Amino acid sequence: MTMQNSAVEADRALKAKHRAMWAQGDYPSLAAEVIPGLGAVLVEACGVRSGQRVLDVGAGSGNAAIPAALAGGDVIASDLTPELFGAGRLAAEQQGAHLTWQEADAEALPFGDAGFDTVLSCVGVMFAPHHQQAADELVRVCRPGGTIGLLSWTPQGFIGRMFATMKPYAPPPPPGAQPPPLWGDEGHVRALLGDRVTDVRAERRTARVDRFATPEAFRDYFKERYGPTITVYKSIADDPDRVAALDRDLVDLGRDGGVGTDPGGTALEWEYLLLTARRAG
């Protein structure tokens, strides 16, 4: 096998693992119950309007794609994990939204150059392992003058800290893979997009999460539904001491983040970076 073929096979295997990770658990219910409004925030920031061609990259079950369609966009919801589309189709039907669902790798999008007026991603493309390849694809498929919009968890925010908490228990990442929360760092995203974009606007915001009454409830919810958390627990399943340690660490994270300290049960604020830019040229 040549080095090129070996690299292709390694990438195919990595993407298969990513697809399997997001297919387990129940991410659609988590997105609907915990962060239901984030997609609409991104769609509004991008100014999606009737008649625009819109691509949602890493769309999952359509948290941003469905609001974009309801705003009048001609929307393609793309994701590496088509197992998430069933819940998205049902939600779209219930809301009267019409859009197309298509399996796609964010690092090798199956769309022509400059084909979309708006290319957006709500906590989606940030999980592609090779950041520059994914950013290059976002720019490539956006028309000159079109909008690129990204909403990503920050490294220092609650979800970024959750990934840092899980990292010591997870298998080492493959060579070249980068941590997802880096997409929540403005400097990192500006470097990825470079001079191919103009009019960059970036703002840190928070999403208030009131779903969890106790730190233990937060931990158990993510252990049951969130693919990355499930994957880490599976990797240490044969070591009860490490499982117990991760259980404690996630409870400590939830407590430190404010779970259970509010009279209503929760005071979680999850920080994200909202960034929009225009494709140059």
Side-chain angles (χ1 to χ4, degrees):
M1 181 181 292
T2 67
M3 289 185 62
Q4 183 177 4
N5 287 341
S6 178
V8 169
E9 288 301 317
D11 186 69
R12 185 176 292 123
L14 175 60
K15 299 303 170 56
K17 287 182 179 179
H18 271 247
R19 173 175 173 171
M21 177 178 71
W22 290 105
Q24 62 190 340
D26 189 356
Y27 183 75
S29 72
L30 186 153
E33 295 170 1
V34 180
I35 52 170
L38 284 192
V41 168
L42 178 59
V43 169
E44 181 180 3
C46 290
V48 174
R49 59 186 183 275
S50 181
Q52 287 188 334
R53 289 205 71 210
V54 179
L55 177 64
D56 186 358
V57 180
S61 51
N63 260 27
I66 292 173
L70 292 174
D74 177 11
V75 179
I76 295 177
S78 68
D79 201 282
L80 184 67
T81 307
E83 289 87 346
L84 302 174
F85 292 166
R89 288 190 177 98
L90 179 60
E93 181 180 353
Q94 290 172 341
Q95 298 177 53
H98 302 281
L99 61 155
T100 299
W101 303 84
Q102 184 167 342
E103 181 178 351
D105 179 354
E107 297 177 6
L109 293 170
F111 308 109
D113 296 351
F116 296 92
D117 300 296
T118 299
V119 180
L120 52 80
S121 186
C122 180
V123 295
V125 74
M126 66 180 292
F127 292 100
H130 306 110
H131 294 187
Q132 192 62 64
Q133 286 177 230
D136 291 348
E137 286 294 273
L138 296 177
V139 174
R140 180 183 66 79
V141 300
C142 185
R143 67 166 176 81
T147 299
I148 296 171
L150 303 167
L151 192 156
S152 311
W153 303 121
T154 65
Q156 64 272 24
F158 187 83
I159 296 297
R161 291 170 59 204
M162 185 180 76
F163 274 91
T165 298
M166 295 190 298
K167 183 178 179 180
Y169 300 92
Q178 294 177 279
L182 278 179
W183 281 86
D185 179 277
E186 180 183 345
H188 180 71
V189 181
R190 282 181 177 270
L192 292 174
L193 299 175
D195 61 5
R196 298 172 297 177
V197 300
T198 61
D199 301 326
V200 177
R201 298 183 180 183
E203 179 185 359
R204 286 187 191 177
R205 297 186 184 181
T206 59
R208 185 170 178 83
V209 176
D210 58 2
R211 183 65 176 74
F212 310 112
T214 66
E216 290 79 9
F218 147 72
R219 176 200 63 201
D220 294 344
Y221 188 93
F222 272 73
K223 283 180 68 172
E224 179 182 344
R225 290 172 174 80
Y226 195 54
T229 306
I230 295 169
T231 297
V232 172
Y233 271 100
K234 282 186 175 180
S235 75
I236 59 173
D238 60 352
D239 190 335
D241 290 340
R242 283 173 63 76
V243 170
L246 180 54
D247 277 346
R248 290 192 298 270
D249 286 351
L250 287 176
V251 166
D252 288 344
L253 172 68
R255 185 176 295 113
D256 185 56
V259 176
T261 63
D262 189 72
T266 256
L268 274 181
E269 299 285 347
W270 292 4
E271 185 182 69
Y272 60 87
L273 178 72
L274 179 64
L275 184 144
T276 60
R278 297 217 171 269
R279 164 83 189 270

